[in-house]
């Protein structure tokens, strides 16, 4: 009986010894028991490779899509010139958003009245009239009739023609109105047809006609007070169109001020820093010809040859939108034009270090002096 128990015990120990490895078989047996199966190891390696491959595939797909769009856009613009016209005007960009243009006081213009004029049938344009700061107290609570009659007061008037995008309520525009008002000027500005809350379809001809209508409206109320025209950026194209027409009918303004002007819209589009297609083969044919086809020229360089009034050009050297060299080139054309031989032509650059860029010249502490010296001479010519 004891032998049987001993044999059972021995067999049991042998079985346990077979199930449990010895002293780790010199460190190898345990490692072997912990190894993953070959198929599991292969699957673990495939996962990061699969992730990397999927990421590369998506990236390559995105790059091909972007390349396709880059190539397709020039053909789309060529087939639909209206697209290029919209990019020139940018009238669909209403910055700042969510402002009520009927309430200029919301923008800090407490001495401003909102009007609506009708240059043509089915066209209505929104107008702001800011009186000189000296009339601020008198203007409180007054109606449109009072503001219209105030144009006949002994203060000069500036008709301001803004650039593309935004509205007459744009931040930098509002700040300029305040500066000019503090210097004793009436400021009349408006949104061209198709801009802001003005009704109509934008075009170069329409913008110029709107400006002509507002100028005549001012002259009918301002008496003998000087009227100056100030154009900024794309508004310089409207301004020279307008002044050329006024000079041809022998009713020129007392002076023309061009802020950040270009020579013509083709050169501006070609020089624009944001034009990613300027080195694209056939750039002129794809992009510039559709602008001309749409009737958009804004030929400042041609217009100044037919303008007979004092001209002041303001341009910042660090302008990222209208390159400084275009403003300088326009000045050189005007300065040598016979039409200006009896009038003052002045170019005022603003150094890069000042940081005025495309739309902040109004910040210059020198601007009041520049205007006083330049327009003072123009007022002297007006009265003599």
């Amino acid at each position: 009986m004891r032998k049987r128990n001993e044999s059972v015990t021995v067999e049991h120990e042998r079985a346990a010894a077979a199930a449990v490895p010895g002293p780790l078989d010199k460190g190898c047996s345990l490692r072997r028991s912990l190894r993953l199966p070959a198929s599991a190891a292969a699957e673990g390696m495939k996962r990061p490779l699969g992730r990397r491959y999927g990421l590369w595939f998506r990236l390559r797909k995105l790059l091909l899509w972007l390349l396709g769009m880059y190539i397709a856009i020039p053909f789309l613009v060529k087939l639909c010139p209206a697209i290029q016209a919209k990019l020139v005007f940018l009238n669909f960009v209403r910055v700042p958003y969510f402002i009520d243009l009927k309430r200029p006081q919301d923008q800090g213009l407490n001495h401003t009245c909102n009007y609506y004029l009708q240059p043509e049938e089915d066209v209505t344009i929104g107008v702001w009239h800011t009186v000189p700061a000296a009339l601020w107290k008198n203007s409180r609570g007054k109606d449109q009739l009072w503001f219209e009659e105030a144009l006949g007061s002994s203060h000069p008037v500036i008709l301001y023609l803004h650039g593309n995008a935004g509205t007459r309520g744009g931040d930098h525009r509002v700040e300029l109105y305040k500066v000019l008002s503090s210097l004793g000027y009436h400021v009349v500005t408006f949104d061209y047809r198709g801009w802001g809350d003005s009704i109509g379809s934008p075009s170069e001809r329409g913008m110029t006609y709107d400006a002509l209508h507002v100028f005549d409206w001012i002259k009918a109320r301002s008496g003998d007070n000087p009227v100056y025209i100030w154009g900024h950026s794309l508004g310089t194209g409207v301004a020279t169109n307008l002044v050329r027409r006024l000079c041809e009918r022998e009713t020129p303004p007392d002076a023309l001020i061009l802020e950040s002007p270009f020579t013509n819209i083709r050169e501006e589009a070609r020089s624009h820093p944001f034009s990613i297609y300027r080195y694209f083969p056939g750039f002129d044919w794809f992009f510039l010809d559709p602008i001309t086809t749409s009737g958009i020229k804004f030929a400042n360089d041609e217009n100044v040859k037919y303008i007979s009034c004092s001209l002041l050009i303001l341009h910042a050297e660090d302008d990222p939108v209208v390159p400084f060299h275009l403003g300088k080139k326009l000045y050189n054309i005007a300065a040598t034009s016979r039409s200006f031989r009896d009038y003052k032509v002045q170019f005022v650059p603003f150094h890069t270090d000042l940081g005025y860029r495309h739309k902040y010249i109004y910040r210059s502490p020198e601007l009041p002096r520049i205007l006083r010296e330049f327009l003072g001479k123009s007022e002297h010519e007006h009265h003599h």
Side-chain angles (χ1 to χ4, degrees):
M1 192 72 182
R2 187 178 299 159
K3 283 183 183 179
R4 188 175 176 183
N5 289 341
E6 286 176 359
S7 63
V8 170
T9 303
V10 170
E11 286 176 7
H12 182 70
E13 288 173 354
R14 284 176 184 168
V20 179
L24 297 184
D25 195 15
K26 295 186 180 177
C28 296
S29 300
L30 185 59
R31 289 195 195 102
R32 280 198 297 269
S33 68
L34 294 176
R35 281 179 189 161
L36 292 171
S39 59
E43 180 134 353
M45 291 178 64
K46 280 181 184 175
R47 270 186 208 138
L49 286 173
R51 279 198 295 269
R52 285 198 293 270
Y53 179 78
L55 181 63
W56 164 244
F57 178 77
R58 287 193 292 271
L59 182 61
R60 188 175 63 176
K61 190 174 179 181
L62 176 63
L63 291 174
L64 288 173
W65 183 83
L66 290 173
L67 179 62
M69 287 295 294
Y70 180 79
I71 295 172
I73 285 173
F75 291 94
L76 189 63
V77 169
K78 185 65 179 179
L79 292 172
C80 305
I83 295 175
Q84 188 70 323
K86 284 189 174 294
L87 293 176
V88 171
F89 297 138
L90 290 177
N91 60 300
F92 55 89
V93 179
R94 282 198 56 174
V95 180
Y97 297 99
F98 312 117
I99 70 168
D100 185 354
L101 292 171
K102 296 183 179 67
R103 292 177 53 82
Q105 60 268 31
D106 292 348
Q107 309 308 308
L109 296 171
N110 296 319
H111 50 318
T112 299
C113 186
N114 181 66
Y115 308 144
Y116 289 97
L117 303 179
Q118 192 167 14
E120 296 180 304
E121 190 177 354
D122 300 326
V123 174
T124 303
I125 57 175
V127 181
W128 279 1
H129 171 199
T130 302
V131 297
L135 301 179
W136 179 79
K137 288 184 178 178
N138 293 335
S139 70
R140 298 179 70 179
K142 298 297 194 299
D143 59 9
Q144 179 175 334
L145 181 60
W146 183 91
F147 275 83
E148 290 188 36
E149 291 176 348
L151 285 169
S153 63
S154 58
H155 294 274
V157 184
I158 291 179
L159 171 58
Y160 178 78
L161 305 171
H162 68 66
N164 66 355
T167 68
R168 61 191 185 274
D171 293 341
H172 65 284
R173 294 162 188 166
V174 168
E175 293 306 314
L176 178 63
Y177 311 155
K178 292 176 181 178
V179 170
L180 296 178
S181 172
S182 70
L183 297 176
Y185 299 102
H186 289 276
V187 182
V188 178
T189 187
F190 66 96
D191 281 319
Y192 315 105
R193 61 187 71 187
W195 270 260
D197 58 353
S198 297
I199 298 170
S201 299
S203 67
E204 181 176 351
R205 185 208 70 83
M207 295 164 74
T208 303
Y209 191 82
D210 293 344
L212 177 64
H213 182 81
V214 177
F215 178 84
D216 288 341
W217 180 87
I218 292 170
K219 289 296 288 184
R221 292 158 177 77
S222 61
D224 291 331
N225 293 328
V227 178
Y228 310 119
I229 293 173
W230 184 312
H232 173 242
S233 193
L234 188 67
T236 64
V238 182
T240 62
N241 281 349
L242 169 62
V243 177
R244 176 177 176 175
R245 187 163 177 175
L246 293 175
C247 290
E248 286 173 347
R249 74 177 195 186
E250 299 183 350
T251 59
D254 293 279
L256 171 61
I257 302 167
L258 301 178
E259 179 188 357
S260 307
F262 49 85
T263 46
N264 59 69
I265 199 65
R266 287 179 72 98
E267 285 197 357
E268 158 59 7
R270 189 182 290 113
S271 304
H272 200 291
F274 304 145
S275 177
I276 61 174
Y277 287 97
R278 72 177 76 180
Y279 303 113
F280 193 89
F283 175 77
D284 285 20
W285 188 77
F286 277 112
F287 291 95
L288 302 186
D289 290 351
I291 296 177
T292 307
T293 301
S294 299
I296 303 173
K297 297 179 180 178
F298 292 115
N300 289 336
D301 50 355
E302 282 299 310
N303 288 338
V304 294
K305 298 175 184 177
Y306 300 91
I307 289 175
S308 301
C309 69
S310 296
L311 171 64
L312 172 64
I313 296 178
L314 309 171
H315 213 136
E317 292 178 354
D318 59 338
D319 191 326
V321 178
V322 180
F324 177 79
H325 71 86
L326 291 185
K328 187 68 173 177
K329 183 177 179 180
L330 180 64
Y331 165 74
N332 291 332
I333 294 171
T336 56
S337 173
R338 293 177 59 190
S339 65
F340 285 105
R341 64 182 177 270
D342 297 325
Y343 298 95
K344 184 177 182 181
V345 179
Q346 184 178 353
F347 182 84
V348 179
F350 294 87
H351 197 271
T352 300
D353 293 345
L354 297 170
Y356 295 152
R357 298 172 66 79
H358 183 60
K359 55 188 181 182
Y360 301 113
I361 288 176
Y362 72 83
R363 294 176 178 172
S364 172
E366 294 297 309
L367 186 60
R369 178 190 60 78
I370 293 166
L371 295 178
R372 185 169 56 249
E373 292 178 0
F374 180 80
L375 296 180
K377 185 176 188 303
S378 299
E379 288 176 27
H380 179 76
E381 291 171 353
H382 172 83
H383 292 297
H384 291 81

